[in-house]
Amino acid sequence: MVKLSVIVPFYNVQQYAPDTLRSLRANAREDFEFILVDDCSRDETPDILERAARELPGAVHLRHETNGGLATARNTGLDAARGEYLTFLDGDDWLAPGYFSRLVDSIEELGCDFVRTDHVQCTARARTVHRVPHGRRGVVMSPREVILPADRSTSVDYAYAWAGIYHRRLADAGLLHFTDGLRTAEDRPWIWRLHREAESFAAVGLLGVFYRRGVASSLTQIGDVRQLDFIKAFDQVVRETAQDRDADKLLPKAVRTYCAIISHHLGSIERFEPSVARKLKSMSAAALKRMPQGVLDDALDSMDVQRATRLRRLRRRPVAAEVAA
């Protein structure tokens, strides 16, 4: 019986994969499996993973023949996973020794559908602890009840799939798979669905994941068109939340968060390639027109003047029919 399946996608991370794999070895247990998904890397990553498949206890090596992105790679791992519990790690991050055993202990003690954890963000030599934005620790609650308030950071804004552990019943219910093909913000529809539809969760103050920021190959550092997938991701969040039984309560949070992300990207538009910057503006204007307009009005009224002004100006922008669709 496999107790824990760890799904780890890799794509062109030859510089970091050895650290990731060493940390997996320091977490190995005879009832753990590590599903290493190579998303059609073009550097030395495949060779590194082939060696790991021979040397790392519990390793399962899978390879995509075409690059599908992080969401699709995670889904490949989910489809192969056999564990009673499941979790994730990215191929350029790493773990403290023995972390996964403590993580399994936490969910078994609490007996809930999923557990969310804190993490350490690593930027160059700097280390910063980031906490789950949920004050009650070690207390089982309904995940639906912690989506709000709309104007504060909550658990759905802490969208890191690797910051937690999930019972297999969530995978069996279809709640752990990601939207295929999303190149960025893939965690956003995922975390919203999890909080709307799972029955129980808890947050714990367990540190052990080291999240590497500022990696040159990361999509958060690249201003190309793949970054615009955040619009597809948040369109899905708004669309699915609008169908929820508590849509009138939850939509203001979904719309306000979408607006904040649009404003964030517009505020750093100089990092995008010129053609992508133009597309960002046109697609964002169209997205604002797709949102429930009354809810959008209230969201803009609740935001600070700078962001609200930026978004209102964009809202007035004409949108071509093909972009609006």
Side-chain angles (χ1 to χ4, degrees):
M1 180 70 182
V2 176
K3 177 64 72 173
L4 177 68
S5 297
V6 184
I7 296 151
V8 195
F10 295 82
Y11 179 63
N12 289 350
V13 286
Q14 63 180 23
Q15 181 179 354
Y16 307 111
D19 289 341
T20 304
L21 293 163
R22 275 192 293 271
S23 75
L24 291 176
R25 176 178 287 276
N27 277 268
R29 221 169 76 175
E30 63 180 10
D31 55 350
F32 289 179
E33 66 176 4
F34 303 116
I35 302 175
L36 315 176
V37 183
D38 176 20
D39 194 22
C40 196
S41 297
R42 299 301 183 187
D43 61 359
E44 299 303 314
T45 300
D47 294 336
I48 295 170
L49 295 182
E50 285 179 10
R51 288 196 297 274
R54 297 190 297 269
E55 300 170 2
L56 174 64
V60 178
H61 182 202
L62 306 175
R63 177 169 169 79
H64 286 171
E65 294 304 318
T66 58
N67 177 257
L70 181 58
T72 302
R74 284 176 175 168
N75 287 343
T76 294
L78 283 167
D79 290 341
R82 299 174 296 150
E84 181 181 358
Y85 300 102
L86 302 98
T87 190
F88 303 91
L89 185 68
D90 286 350
D92 51 6
D93 298 336
W94 75 96
L95 306 161
Y99 168 71
F100 281 147
S101 289
R102 297 192 295 274
L103 189 61
V104 168
D105 288 344
S106 71
I107 194 169
E108 293 199 317
E109 289 169 7
L110 291 162
C112 51
D113 285 342
F114 67 100
V115 166
R116 303 289 284 153
T117 68
D118 303 332
H119 72 274
V120 181
Q121 180 173 297
C122 306
T123 307
R125 293 180 179 272
R127 301 288 185 269
T128 309
V129 174
H130 286 245
R131 304 288 186 188
V132 184
H134 177 67
R136 303 184 69 182
R137 299 303 174 102
V139 178
V140 177
M141 298 184 65
S142 164
R144 170 180 288 269
E145 297 302 316
V146 303
I147 294 173
L148 300 177
D151 60 349
R152 286 172 50 192
S153 181
T154 70
S155 191
V156 290
D157 301 306
Y158 187 80
Y160 312 106
W162 36 257
I165 184 170
Y166 314 93
H167 196 284
R168 165 158 291 281
R169 58 180 169 262
L170 296 176
D172 294 342
L175 298 184
L176 290 188
H177 279 71
F178 297 79
T179 302
D180 267 322
L182 279 182
R183 302 284 177 154
T184 192
E186 68 288 326
D187 290 343
R188 296 294 189 145
W190 179 88
I191 195 73
W192 271 83
R193 184 174 65 245
L194 199 58
H195 275 269
R196 285 194 313 264
E197 300 187 28
E199 294 183 0
S200 59
F201 98 112
V204 298
L206 178 62
L207 286 173
V209 179
F210 293 83
Y211 168 45
R212 200 187 301 268
R213 289 277 291 175
V215 176
S217 61
S218 170
L219 277 186
T220 60
Q221 304 296 310
I222 298 172
D224 72 13
V225 71
R226 292 173 293 177
Q227 277 277 27
L228 302 188
D229 273 7
F230 84 89
I231 291 175
K232 295 178 184 178
F234 275 97
D235 275 354
Q236 182 180 346
V237 170
V238 170
R239 183 173 63 252
E240 292 177 352
T241 303
Q243 298 168 357
D244 188 88
R245 66 179 185 269
D246 293 322
D248 59 330
K249 297 178 182 178
L250 301 181
L251 265 177
K253 171 71 172 177
V255 169
R256 195 179 194 278
T257 305
Y258 197 173
C259 288
I261 298 296
I262 290 173
S263 180
H264 167 75
H265 283 297
L266 292 172
S268 57
I269 200 168
E270 68 281 350
R271 69 191 177 90
F272 289 94
E273 300 162 3
S275 62
V276 178
R278 290 191 295 272
K279 194 168 185 179
L280 169 64
K281 288 181 178 178
S282 61
M283 291 179 67
S284 296
L288 291 172
K289 290 178 170 56
R290 286 194 297 273
M291 295 178 197
Q293 295 301 292
V295 179
L296 176 59
D297 288 336
D298 292 342
L300 295 178
D301 288 344
S302 73
M303 300 178 84
D304 62 85
V305 172
Q306 183 181 27
R307 288 193 297 176
T309 300
R310 177 185 290 151
L311 291 166
R312 287 190 175 107
R313 186 183 303 122
L314 186 67
R315 190 183 186 186
R316 294 191 294 269
R317 177 185 174 124
V319 176
E322 63 272 17
V323 177

